[in-house]
Amino acid sequence: MALDTLYHVNTPEGIRLRLSPAGPVPRMLAWMIDIAIRLGINIAIFTMLAFLGKTGTGIALIISFLLEWFYPVYFELYKNGQTPGKKSFNIYVSMENASPITPAASIIRNLLRFVDFFPLFYGFGFVSMMLTKRFQRLGDLVAGTVVLHKALEYPPIDEVNIKAISPPVALNLAEQQALIRFQQRIPYLTKERSEELAQLSDPLIDPEKPATPQLLGFSNWIMGSR
Amino acid sequence: MNLQEITANIRLRSTWEAIDMGFAMVQNWWKAIYIPLIILTFSIATLLYFIIPEDDFWLTGFIFWWLKPLYDRLVLHIISHKLFNEELSSWQALKAIPSLIWNTGFFQTMTFRRLSMSRGFNLPIWQLEQLRGKQRSERQKILHLAAHSQASWLTIAMVHLEIFLVLSLFALIALFTPENILRDFFDSLFNNKIEDSIWLDYLNYVFYVVVVTFLHPFYIAGNFALYINRRTQLEAWDLELDFRKLAIRVKNLLKPNVIPTPLLFYIFFALASLGGSPNTAIADEINTSNVQNTASKASTTTNSNKTEFLSKTRQPPEASKKIIKEVMLTKNLNDKKTVKRWVKKKIIKKKKDNTDSSFFNLVSDIFKPIALFISKIIEFGLWILITIGIGLLFYYRDSWLHLFQIKRKNKDEYIAPEVMFGMDVRAESLPENIIEETQKLWEAGKHREALSLLYRGALIRLINQENVKLEDSYTEGDVLRHAQQKITTGKQAYLKALTAQWKLIAYAHRAPAETDMQQLFSHWDSDFAFNTAKETINEEQK
């Protein structure tokens, strides 16, 4: 088994979900964005409520308390598991089985930040992430949650003006997917490289002709055009 | 570099995912990485400690930090070998250090390139690709296009992690220190009165060396994975691997070469003619049968085209039946469960002993009747109060009873429309005798007005007499469909005929035939505008 960060979840419908846990670096940077946002809000609130004197400071302290503890909970529950920071890194919180995070789990994982923060600046949290396969901090482990990367979206393919050709041999799933990815990646490859790649699938193609159009024809066939 | 030997899963990742992939590498190969790295860093740290005089102790940490490119090279050397499945002992790794220093642009990195933000990302170009000069800078430019900012952020993140972890270690010690000592320490720290503070520097140095040793592989592996991902992006390594695999499988499939000509013919055919024609379908069949033929022959050499795997040693049916039975008898499938729920308790009344002191008995004997009397009075008083309460509730029932009435929401209530198809469909708008009016209009040549009046009459009947719940958004067809559920078949037929005529004149601007119209006029009362017996009774009741 080749080394990868992925893990798989099988749904009752027999679908195999491929999940990719997010590691400490994007999470840390996302957290920094969130803390900057919270800081900004706090400053605004404290300055505005300062006009109300001691009462104002009291209210501001309460608001800043709520902000500190329930800011992530709110975003995780109502914004698809993404705080603004997480959104900018295209990562999101979900349960380990890829279902949406439950309110209880969200509250647990965010209250336990306190533990992960120990002894200072998430020392334990970082060590825990490094020691677990799915990069989970202690709060994640207790709540049964995990932070995942959103799947990479391939740009849509332009209509290719190459007519579909049925492949001479029945191809298995991985091979079909490889051909489709080949079509998707063509705009990002140099002509020479794509030809070189296409030549590799030697027995599949007619060696007399340029290989790239033939493979594109096959992938068009697999994509359903006739 | 042999791509087929690669031990990691090569696929196109997002840049951040690629960094995580690097972290996973360290998690998996930690033994191979950390042992030589610890030997290297700890020996350098010890050496520095002995060389640098105590007065300039800050230099030790600084030089240790400055030497980081050296550790970079060792870690990358190990990881790259591991990635391409070459075993490397710790001793071999350490032995490679001198050559790593000479051949990897070490001195540039130690001088003017030391503070580069993408030091770790550029390293593979120097060390693995061995590019120099213009070639290198061009290569670097291309690779940087979609990875430089991530590489810089990785450096920033790692610097912060380093600082945080050192502080964390200090904080950990502080957590376990008695409070008064800690308070004294902070007092002296802020008043700049620490005596003998050199131990603090030592501690700092040790922590720093430990943290750098721990974090450094993650930094380099993250960058290396970023580099690999960028090259995968540019050169489609994943496709290369997949195509090579495909080529091997297809070659094996076609190896016996029993009937190669039709196959080649087919390829030619498929390329020449283009899918969809019946000929291709036949060719397809021929082709698949060929493939199956060849495949069955090839299956002795390869199993790659099999989709289902069966165990070679299979039990006879009786034996497997027995096994199934045994399994069915296991504890997990026949477990008894204890369920807890509330059950009414059987109360056994204990009779109290009446063996108290006689004095107490005497007193209670005297007071008992009095107490009973008073309790009865109170009891009656309570009963009277309850009766009065109920009476009051009854008397004032109007003021509270309405609270319990459940009001239906307006939404569910049906309100008959007043206008349909731009026509007034209130009952009041209709003339006394519809047929007479209609006939007059019809004879006057006002066909449209005549039919609209008749259709309007029908709609009003449907709404008011037949209780069909029409909405103003309905089309004629909708009206017909909804009416069907409520009215008799005779009436349906009439309505259908009327609707057809109405649609004809309303939308097609064609006047209906005279006979059809007369039919409608004469059957209005007999077929449509009458109440069935039951309905009549209902009407009268209203």
Side-chain angles (χ1 to χ4, degrees):
Chain A
M1 184 61 205
L3 174 64
D4 208 334
T5 50
L6 300 175
Y7 74 98
H8 293 93
V9 168
N10 292 322
T11 70
E13 293 84 4
I15 300 167
R16 195 151 188 254
L17 297 177
R18 199 172 83 162
L19 305 170
S20 164
V25 172
R27 289 177 65 173
M28 177 185 167
L29 294 171
W31 179 81
M32 280 176 171
I33 290 180
D34 283 332
I35 205 104
I37 292 173
R38 278 205 296 259
L39 193 69
I41 298 175
N42 270 329
I43 289 170
I45 286 172
F46 273 93
T47 13
M48 279 194 297
L49 290 176
F51 294 109
L52 297 180
K54 270 189 178 173
T55 328
T57 316
I59 296 169
L61 280 171
I62 290 171
I63 292 174
S64 104
F65 166 80
L66 292 176
L67 199 65
E68 187 60 35
W69 290 102
F70 293 103
Y71 167 96
V73 175
Y74 168 78
F75 283 105
E76 279 165 17
L77 291 182
Y78 297 107
K79 302 283 172 192
N80 305 323
Q82 290 183 310
T83 59
K86 287 201 172 70
K87 194 162 190 177
S88 59
F89 283 87
N90 225 5
I91 55 181
Y92 68 104
V93 187
S94 92
M95 301 304 285
E96 275 173 338
N97 60 6
S99 59
I101 187 168
T102 60
S106 175
I107 287 170
I108 289 172
R109 93 181 274 282
N110 286 304
L111 286 185
L112 284 180
R113 268 175 202 285
F114 178 69
V115 179
D116 281 303
F117 198 78
F118 257 104
L120 205 66
F121 296 119
Y122 289 91
F124 286 174
F126 177 71
V127 172
S128 158
M129 271 189 232
M130 295 288 47
L131 295 181
T132 50
K133 272 268 172 248
R134 297 176 185 175
F135 303 122
Q136 286 162 303
R137 60 179 177 81
L138 298 171
D140 283 326
L141 289 172
V142 175
T145 54
V146 66
V147 180
L148 298 172
H149 284 286
K150 286 219 147 168
L152 194 61
E153 277 176 20
Y154 283 104
I157 316 166
D158 296 329
E159 280 292 315
V160 184
N161 276 333
I162 291 172
K163 296 208 174 150
I165 313 164
S166 83
V169 200
L171 297 174
N172 64 29
L173 184 65
E175 291 161 355
Q176 293 184 4
Q177 285 174 341
L179 282 178
I180 293 171
R181 267 185 292 133
F182 178 67
Q183 194 186 32
Q184 286 171 325
R185 297 271 287 281
I186 277 278
Y188 306 96
L189 299 173
T190 58
K191 264 217 175 91
E192 295 78 18
R193 178 61 183 165
S194 65
E195 183 62 25
E196 188 186 10
L197 280 173
Q199 293 286 2
L200 287 175
S201 63
D202 183 26
L204 205 61
I205 50 172
D206 184 356
E208 305 290 310
K209 296 178 182 175
T212 312
Q214 293 182 54
L215 279 197
L216 289 180
F218 293 151
S219 70
N220 261 354
W221 178 276
I222 292 163
M223 300 273 282
S225 63
R226 292 288 184 268
Chain B
M1 182 185 85
N2 186 1
L3 206 51
Q4 280 123 296
E5 286 291 315
I6 206 158
T7 51
N9 188 11
I10 292 295
R11 62 190 169 88
L12 196 59
R13 296 175 172 84
S14 76
T15 37
W16 300 113
E17 221 182 334
I19 290 174
D20 296 339
M21 177 66 209
F23 280 41
M25 287 181 195
V26 179
Q27 283 182 340
N28 268 274
W29 304 326
W30 63 274
K31 247 187 204 164
I33 297 168
Y34 276 114
I35 293 172
L37 182 68
I38 285 174
I39 293 173
L40 177 69
T41 52
F42 282 23
S43 49
I44 288 179
T46 323
L47 196 68
L48 288 174
Y49 170 74
F50 283 117
I51 289 174
I52 310 286
E54 203 170 273
D55 292 341
D56 301 317
F57 193 75
W58 62 273
L59 262 177
T60 48
F62 181 76
I63 294 176
F64 186 80
W65 169 76
W66 195 264
L67 279 172
K68 266 183 174 183
L70 180 64
Y71 326 143
D72 289 356
R73 278 154 176 75
L74 178 67
V75 174
L76 182 64
H77 183 70
I78 297 166
I79 292 177
S80 58
H81 276 79
K82 272 276 174 193
L83 184 66
F84 290 101
N85 206 11
E86 287 165 43
E87 280 306 317
L88 201 67
S89 70
S90 305
W91 175 238
Q92 278 173 320
L94 288 170
K95 245 190 350 194
I97 291 177
S99 76
L100 287 176
I101 291 174
W102 286 115
N103 302 326
T104 57
F106 183 65
F107 295 103
Q108 288 188 35
T109 329
M110 287 300 281
T111 50
F112 63 94
R113 291 192 204 280
R114 178 64 186 85
L115 295 176
S116 153
M117 290 292 269
S118 53
R119 190 186 84 235
F121 182 76
N122 302 337
L123 185 62
I125 307 173
W126 291 87
Q127 187 173 330
L128 303 178
E129 295 188 36
Q130 289 289 344
L131 297 178
R132 295 289 179 274
K134 203 179 161 212
Q135 237 181 335
R136 184 202 59 80
S137 64
E138 272 171 5
R139 179 91 183 131
Q140 186 172 312
K141 211 186 269 171
I142 291 174
L143 292 183
H144 273 186
L145 276 179
H148 184 251
S149 85
Q150 281 82 4
S152 315
W153 277 110
L154 178 60
T155 310
I156 294 169
M158 288 320 251
V159 167
H160 282 84
L161 270 177
E162 220 167 65
I163 297 166
F164 290 164
L165 282 187
V166 170
L167 288 176
S168 278
L169 286 174
F170 272 112
L172 198 60
I173 287 185
L175 277 180
F176 290 104
T177 314
E179 210 172 307
N180 49 349
I181 296 177
L182 202 63
R183 205 184 314 124
D184 290 348
F185 169 74
F186 275 115
D187 277 350
S188 52
L189 185 71
F190 289 118
N191 297 327
N192 219 359
K193 277 183 199 159
I194 293 188
E195 296 153 17
D196 242 8
S197 72
I198 191 71
W199 64 269
L200 207 61
D201 291 332
Y202 285 149
L203 204 59
N204 188 23
Y205 183 56
V206 171
F207 285 165
Y208 185 67
V209 170
V210 169
V211 167
V212 166
T213 311
F214 173 63
L215 280 182
H216 211 66
F218 289 106
Y219 175 63
I220 294 302
N223 270 313
F224 183 50
L226 207 55
Y227 165 84
I228 294 280
N229 193 52
R230 179 69 183 135
R231 286 201 54 185
T232 306
Q233 201 179 2
L234 285 174
E235 297 162 32
W237 282 8
D238 51 334
L239 291 176
E240 182 173 338
L241 286 169
D242 284 344
F243 283 174
R244 278 186 202 280
K245 248 188 248 163
L246 180 150
I248 292 169
R249 192 182 77 95
V250 174
K251 214 173 254 170
N252 278 335
L253 220 56
L254 306 175
K255 212 182 223 164
N257 264 350
V258 187
I259 333 166
T261 29
L263 201 67
L264 272 178
F265 166 75
Y266 170 72
I267 294 171
F268 172 71
F269 192 81
L271 288 171
S273 82
L274 294 151
S277 69
N279 288 338
T280 339
I282 293 164
D284 217 349
E285 268 177 31
I286 294 168
N287 169 56
T288 42
S289 65
N290 279 343
V291 170
Q292 274 161 8
N293 269 340
T294 48
S296 63
K297 274 163 193 155
S299 63
T300 46
T301 51
T302 172
N303 280 333
S304 56
N305 61 326
K306 268 192 184 170
T307 53
E308 196 178 357
F309 294 94
L310 293 173
S311 171
K312 268 180 192 166
T313 53
R314 260 177 283 173
Q315 306 268 5
E318 294 81 37
S320 42
K321 221 174 235 173
K322 207 176 142 200
I323 291 173
I324 291 171
K325 239 178 204 170
E326 271 168 25
V327 170
M328 293 302 284
L329 287 175
T330 51
K331 192 170 172 276
N332 279 340
L333 295 173
N334 295 289
D335 216 2
K336 276 183 186 168
K337 239 200 246 173
T338 316
V339 179
K340 284 188 179 175
R341 63 188 166 88
W342 292 102
V343 179
K344 200 186 171 196
K345 218 175 186 175
K346 276 177 194 165
I347 300 165
I348 304 160
K349 276 185 183 169
K350 269 190 187 171
K351 281 194 176 171
K352 267 193 181 172
D353 298 336
N354 269 345
T355 48
D356 287 351
S357 63
S358 57
F359 175 74
F360 189 77
N361 277 343
L362 192 71
V363 174
S364 71
D365 280 350
I366 295 169
F367 281 102
K368 220 175 195 172
I370 303 169
L372 263 176
F373 182 67
I374 293 170
S375 71
K376 281 286 169 198
I377 291 174
I378 294 172
E379 193 187 334
F380 272 107
L382 285 173
W383 278 117
I384 290 165
L385 272 179
I386 288 171
T387 322
I388 292 172
I390 292 171
L392 283 175
L393 279 177
F394 182 74
Y395 188 77
Y396 289 109
R397 61 189 181 278
D398 288 345
S399 57
W400 56 269
L401 211 56
H402 70 269
L403 292 176
F404 294 94
Q405 278 173 354
I406 298 158
K407 265 191 185 173
R408 240 196 218 167
K409 275 183 187 171
N410 252 1
K411 221 179 176 182
D412 301 333
E413 222 168 274
Y414 171 69
I415 300 166
E418 299 193 337
V419 176
M420 286 181 81
F421 312 113
M423 299 188 293
D424 194 341
V425 289
R426 286 172 303 179
E428 309 88 76
S429 68
L430 227 52
E432 277 298 288
N433 192 336
I434 304 171
I435 291 300
E436 221 167 77
E437 283 290 318
T438 322
Q439 267 172 331
K440 257 187 218 164
L441 286 167
W442 177 259
E443 275 148 25
K446 294 179 175 172
H447 299 164
R448 201 177 180 68
E449 286 78 357
L451 260 169
S452 91
L453 181 61
L454 198 60
Y455 189 62
R456 197 150 64 92
L459 288 179
I460 290 167
R461 261 203 83 80
L462 285 179
I463 293 168
N464 295 316
Q465 269 84 37
E466 309 284 359
N467 289 323
V468 182
K469 288 178 178 167
L470 297 181
E471 301 281 343
D472 50 5
S473 59
Y474 284 178
T475 63
E476 283 87 349
D478 289 335
V479 171
L480 209 57
R481 201 150 39 80
H482 279 89
Q484 260 172 10
Q485 298 159 1
K486 294 264 184 176
I487 59 178
T488 56
T489 41
K491 290 180 179 183
Q492 279 173 29
Y494 184 87
L495 187 65
K496 215 170 175 179
L498 175 60
T499 308
Q501 301 300 342
W502 159 247
K503 283 201 297 204
L504 204 62
I505 194 155
Y507 302 111
H509 295 276
R510 279 195 299 189
E514 182 73 28
T515 48
D516 289 340
M517 282 315 288
Q518 291 307 329
Q519 187 94 4
L520 286 179
F521 294 144
S522 56
H523 287 78
W524 171 262
D525 281 322
S526 59
D527 280 7
F528 190 71
F530 67 90
N531 292 338
T532 51
K534 203 176 155 196
E535 283 167 358
T536 328
I537 294 164
N538 282 343
E539 283 292 296
E540 277 163 11
Q541 276 174 350
K542 275 177 194 169

